[in-house]
């Protein structure tokens, strides 16, 4: 089925964003808080209400054929549309029958993937990887997530969990607890919260957010600068290793930490280049271009993608 347009949704632990997307153009954007603490039924209701509001704004006469594409926090089974697992930012979200429940509420066809997978697909379609046949995207923010796209096909893999870059081992994270419950994973040293934690372990204080930490670093605080440097080096090294394995045409980096500019990017690039084997040396590493809209474009693209690749 080729729809006239897609009602695309990006579901996060704090915000639900929905918009009408036609030809990769985002329109009629609605943004509302996620009632995560109220449980999955409240979240599903809010998604349904927000999508319905976008549809009314985009198509007052209800004349068009619409489908719904969702990028959601958590591991989403792309075959059944069920959330297989989720973090505590979305209590009870694991087990939510995302596609079935939204289909019932909206009476429209629905497809869903993980939100970072949607980001990867969006950047591959019309963002930083639009001219590449294959790409690896990493989103570095509250967590470290990723997505792999080849020939326009998103690689979800058999367990729908491909791209969990934040949970590869990292030497710089040795002994550090990861939010997943493991120890020594990349996310424990390279994510936004990890940068703050590293600053505090070194005796720094007086800041409560990554943005404030960046301001302190630009003002010359040596421990703040060192925390961003450690994050960039750890992520760059991991991405270089993954590039050696996957050999994508381009590696795209987005998320909140990507906005840290020269506090973070030079360390990331040096560590990335240092890891590359001769066969892939010179591989392109670039910042994401679409920002938050990437997930919406990618969610809409679920209706232009013939299938999701189960195995790598």
């Amino acid at each position: 089925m080729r729809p006239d347009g897609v009602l695309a949704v990006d579901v996060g632990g704090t915000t639900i964003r929905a918009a009408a997307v036609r030809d990769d153009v985002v329109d009629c954007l609605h943004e509302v808080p996620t009632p995560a603490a109220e449980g999955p039924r409240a979240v599903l209701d809010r998604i349904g209400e927000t999508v319905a509001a976008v549809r009314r704004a985009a198509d007052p006469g209800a004349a068009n054929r619409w489908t719904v594409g969702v990028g959601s926090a958590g591991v989403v089974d792309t075959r059944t549309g069920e959330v297989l697992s989720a973090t505590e930012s979305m209590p009870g979200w694991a087990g939510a029958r995302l596609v079935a429940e939204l289909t019932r509420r909206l009476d429209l066809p629905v497809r869903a993937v993980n939100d970072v997978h949607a980001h990867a697909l969006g950047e591959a379609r019309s963002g930083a990887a639009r001219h590449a046949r294959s790409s690896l995207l990493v989103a570095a923010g509250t967590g470290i997530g990723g997505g792999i796209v080849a020939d326009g096909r998103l690689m979800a893999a058999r367990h729908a969990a491909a791209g969990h870059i934040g949970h590869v081992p990292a030497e710089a994270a040795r002994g550090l607890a990861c939010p997943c419950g493991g120890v020594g994973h990349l996310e424990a040293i390279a994510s936004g919260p990890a940068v703050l934690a590293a600053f505090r372990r070194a005796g720094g204080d007086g800041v409560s957010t990554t943005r404030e930490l960046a301001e302190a670093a630009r003002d010359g605080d040596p421990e703040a600068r060192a925390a961003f440097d450690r994050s960039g080096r750890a992520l760059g090294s991991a991405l270089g290793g993954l590039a050696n394995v996957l050999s994508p045409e381009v590696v795209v980096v987005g998320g909140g930490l990507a906005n840290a500019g020269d506090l973070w990017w030079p360390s990331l690039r040096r560590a990335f280049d240092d890891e590359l084997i001769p066969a892939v040396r010179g591989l392109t590493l670039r910042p994401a271009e679409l920002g938050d809209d990437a997930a919406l474009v990618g969610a809409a693209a679920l209706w232009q993608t013939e299938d999701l690749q189960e195995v790598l």
Side-chain angles (χ1 to χ4, degrees), residues 34-138:
T34 305
E38 299 174 32
R41 180 176 295 180
V43 174
L44 289 163
D45 286 344
R46 186 66 55 83
I47 296 169
E49 293 160 2
T50 307
V51 172
V54 170
R55 185 181 185 184
R56 288 193 298 270
D59 185 20
N64 289 328
R65 295 178 303 159
W66 292 98
T67 53
V68 179
V70 183
S72 171
V75 176
V76 179
D77 189 322
T78 54
R79 295 164 297 176
T80 67
E82 181 178 339
V83 179
L84 300 178
S85 64
T87 68
E88 286 306 307
S89 67
M90 297 279 284
W93 194 232
R97 298 171 63 244
L98 186 56
V99 166
E101 290 294 334
L102 290 180
T103 298
R104 182 177 65 81
R105 283 167 170 78
L106 297 166
D107 194 27
L108 292 171
V110 180
R111 291 179 180 173
V113 292
N114 164 265
D115 54 352
V116 182
H117 286 175
H119 270 268
L121 196 52
E123 289 289 343
R125 281 187 62 85
S126 60
R130 62 188 175 277
H131 299 305
R133 291 189 61 185
S134 62
S135 59
L136 167 64
L137 173 130
V138 59

Side-chain angles (χ1 to χ4, degrees), residues 285-299:
L285 174 73
R286 61 169 61 121
E289 294 180 0
L290 300 183
D292 291 339
D293 285 350
L296 297 172
V297 172

Side-chain angles (χ1 to χ4, degrees), residues 172 186 189-191 194-196 198-199 213-214 217 221-237 257 260-272:
L186 180 65
I189 193 66
S191 67
V195 173
L196 272 173
F199 172 70
L213 186 64
D221 186 306
E223 293 303 339
R225 296 187 71 87
F228 280 104
D229 175 68
R230 280 190 291 270
S231 167
R233 284 189 286 115
L235 182 58
S237 180
L257 279 173
D262 59 1
L263 297 174
W264 190 73
W265 275 96
S267 300
L268 176 79
R269 289 185 184 278
R270 282 194 298 270
F272 177 78

